[in-house]
Amino acid sequence: MRENLSNEYWERFAVTRPVSPKSIVSEFRELIDTNPKERDVQKFLEQNPWLLSEQFPHCHYILPQFSLAGQFIPDFIAPERCSGETLWMLIELEQPNAMLTTKDGFFSKTVRTAIGQVRDWKRWLLENQDLAKKSRLDGGLDLHDMSRLLCGYIIVGRTCKVNDRFNQLRSDLFSNEGIEIVTYDRVIDWAAERASFWEGYSSSFT
């Protein structure tokens, strides 16, 4: 019975593919083009979690505004299950119109703040493994196969703001800390590719 209750909790966040994924991608692109506030982006992605799950090869659950025992609240957590292990993607959203680097060639304040938040989440989870793995029925977070495989995924800015220096900085960050920075255009373009694949896949069975 306890296991059933835990499964019921997880199924609340199971991602299903929309009937018309291309239209969802188009709506998201239109939203991002208006330079929306971060809360509006958060709301759209909570309503359309498929856009996030498709960014990863084996992601079937998207957990929004997940509280880390009241200490921190990542915008989203996504378990990426592959080869018998789970990579826990800690997703941070920032403004679509944010600058990515300073004139001196460093990460912008917005990007630095996002990196700091992801570092805090990773540190907290590493220091609270037992609580993270424990069932919610026992006061835990129910991240049952939580491991040290924690990755950050920051979505910020647009491709037009990307330069060679930014690419170098984010490559180093990913290599050293497992924190990836992508633009909203990157998210949209990949979702569009996946939408085309799925609609083509579905039509082959009609």
Side-chain angles (χ1 to χ4, degrees):
M1 181 64 170
R2 293 167 67 83
E3 182 179 353
N4 290 339
L5 288 174
S6 180
N7 290 339
E8 181 180 337
Y9 167 78
W10 272 92
E11 288 308 308
R12 289 167 50 194
F13 305 106
V15 178
T16 57
R17 190 166 65 250
V19 175
S20 179
K22 284 186 178 180
S23 66
I24 298 299
V25 175
S26 295
E27 289 178 29
F28 189 51
R29 190 190 304 273
E30 290 173 5
L31 173 66
I32 296 304
D33 284 343
T34 68
N35 288 325
K37 295 181 179 179
E38 184 183 324
R39 65 173 176 267
D40 294 325
V41 179
Q42 175 83 30
K43 181 179 178 180
F44 190 93
L45 291 174
E46 286 183 13
Q47 295 172 343
N48 300 280
W50 174 86
L51 288 163
L52 288 177
S53 67
E54 285 296 310
Q55 303 302 310
F56 315 110
H58 307 285
C59 178
H60 305 291
Y61 299 90
I62 296 291
L63 286 68
Q65 296 285 291
F66 191 87
S67 176
L68 302 181
Q71 297 296 308
F72 302 103
I73 303 179
D75 290 330
F76 296 93
I77 288 183
E80 162 71 355
R81 293 190 169 94
C82 56
S83 302
E85 295 184 302
T86 299
L87 301 178
W88 291 89
M89 313 302 297
L90 310 176
I91 303 172
E92 165 68 3
L93 304 179
E94 291 293 343
Q95 286 291 122
N97 64 346
M99 296 300 296
L100 301 177
T101 56
T102 66
K103 293 180 180 179
D104 296 330
F106 298 99
F107 280 132
S108 68
K109 181 179 179 180
T110 297
V111 176
R112 293 196 308 272
T113 298
I115 294 170
Q117 288 179 311
V118 172
R119 285 170 175 161
D120 286 342
W121 304 340
K122 291 178 69 175
R123 184 181 306 110
W124 190 93
L125 285 166
L126 289 173
E127 293 174 354
N128 294 273
Q129 291 279 299
D130 291 342
L131 177 62
K133 295 177 183 178
K134 188 182 297 184
S135 168
R136 299 184 79 83
L137 301 171
D138 297 319
L141 304 185
D142 210 50
L143 305 179
H144 49 84
D145 53 354
M146 171 59 65
S147 68
R148 301 184 68 84
L149 301 176
L150 303 173
C151 300
Y153 196 79
I154 298 169
I155 307 174
V156 59
R158 306 297 300 269
T159 299
C160 62
K161 303 288 180 65
V162 172
N163 54 36
D164 290 342
R165 176 57 176 165
F166 174 73
N167 283 333
Q168 178 186 351
L169 290 171
R170 67 173 166 178
S171 177
D172 291 344
L173 180 69
F174 182 71
S175 296
N176 295 331
E177 300 188 47
I179 299 175
E180 184 173 6
I181 305 176
V182 300
T183 64
Y184 281 92
D185 296 292
R186 160 67 166 73
V187 171
I188 292 168
D189 289 346
W190 182 246
E193 281 195 41
R194 299 300 296 162
S196 294
F197 168 82
W198 285 119
E199 293 198 1
Y201 179 83
S202 297
S203 65
S204 67
F205 290 93
T206 59

